[in-house]
Amino acid sequence: MPAMKLAGNLFLVGLMGAGKTTVGRALARRSGKTFYDSDYEIEQRTGVRIATIFDIEGERRFRERETLVISELVQQRDIVLGTGGGAILSPVNRQLLASHGTVIYLRASIDDILTRTQYCTNRPLLQTADPRAKLEALFAERDPLYREIADIVIDTTQQNVSLLVCQLEDRLSRLQGSHPEHPPA
């Protein structure tokens, strides 16, 4: 299937394990855009893993670093950005994402996320005795914030990545076709 030209920046939000990096890479490849992962960018700049930043500096300082990286990345053109699951906790980040591109909320079931993350040791918020309860609490807190800024909400539960990207391309082309006032970033 030929690549589709989609206007502007595309920003992926959602809980950890929802597929932001996997879908983001595939979407970038198909649309000819450059893919960035905000967590990866933070790790590259600091030279340590996110879990280490959480351990040494705490979540507050990590979120400050995250806002700095997002504020720089959204200024670029024709990118796909996979954000960290908690990036939307900051009103500044929500405004940056909403005003510089199309926001796609990748939503997955708690069961699916647990399956995808069960062997991950680099997810500091899931290093708890009850990861399901933690994910349920994160979902309750964050789902309204994801929805607040999302131009598109798509369910990634038990989805094939290629089919999901095709669905996204279709939804994005319809969205961009029906909203000419939505300026490309």
Side-chain angles (χ1 to χ4, degrees):
M1 185 180 272
M4 173 173 241
K5 187 61 184 158
L6 299 168
N9 292 331
L10 305 174
F11 304 133
L12 304 177
V13 299
L15 284 178
M16 64 186 91
K20 298 180 300 290
T21 300
T22 302
V23 171
R25 282 189 179 124
L27 185 59
R29 247 188 328 274
R30 293 256 318 133
S31 62
K33 296 179 182 295
T34 302
F35 176 73
Y36 291 94
D37 177 295
S38 62
D39 284 349
Y40 177 79
E41 293 298 316
I42 293 167
E43 289 180 345
Q44 290 303 109
R45 292 174 186 204
T46 61
V48 297
R49 296 178 60 152
I50 300 299
T52 304
I53 297 170
F54 265 72
D55 286 345
I56 295 171
E57 299 180 341
E59 185 175 1
R60 184 187 62 75
R61 179 67 181 121
F62 168 75
R63 297 293 172 206
E64 291 170 2
R65 290 179 184 279
E66 183 174 57
T67 296
L68 179 64
V69 166
I70 288 172
S71 68
E72 291 174 14
L73 289 173
V74 298
Q75 301 303 318
Q76 297 196 37
R77 292 198 158 304
D78 278 334
I79 69 166
V80 175
L81 171 62
T83 63
I88 48 74
L89 294 172
S90 162
V92 171
N93 290 346
R94 291 196 305 275
Q95 188 277 327
L96 285 166
L97 295 169
S99 64
H100 285 86
T102 302
V103 179
I104 302 161
Y105 172 20
L106 300 184
R107 192 173 186 274
S109 71
I110 299 297
D111 287 338
D112 230 33
I113 291 172
L114 279 169
T115 299
R116 294 175 190 174
T117 61
Q118 66 185 338
Y119 301 112
C120 292
T121 58
N122 62 336
R123 310 233 185 223
L125 294 178
L126 290 185
Q127 303 311 306
T128 176
D130 190 351
R132 174 180 291 282
K134 183 62 174 183
L135 281 171
E136 288 170 350
L138 291 171
F139 178 83
E141 174 188 28
R142 296 176 181 180
D143 181 66
L145 300 174
Y146 295 135
R147 289 179 181 280
E148 173 188 311
I149 63 167
D151 297 296
I152 295 174
V153 177
I154 193 157
D155 189 354
T156 65
T157 301
Q158 296 182 352
Q159 289 268 15
N160 171 289
V161 174
S162 296
L163 292 175
L164 186 61
V165 169
C166 287
Q167 289 174 22
L168 266 174
E169 287 176 328
D170 180 57
R171 301 237 342 240
L172 285 162
S173 71
R174 283 188 281 136
L175 178 71
Q176 291 177 356
S178 65
H179 292 87
E181 73 281 359
H182 194 313

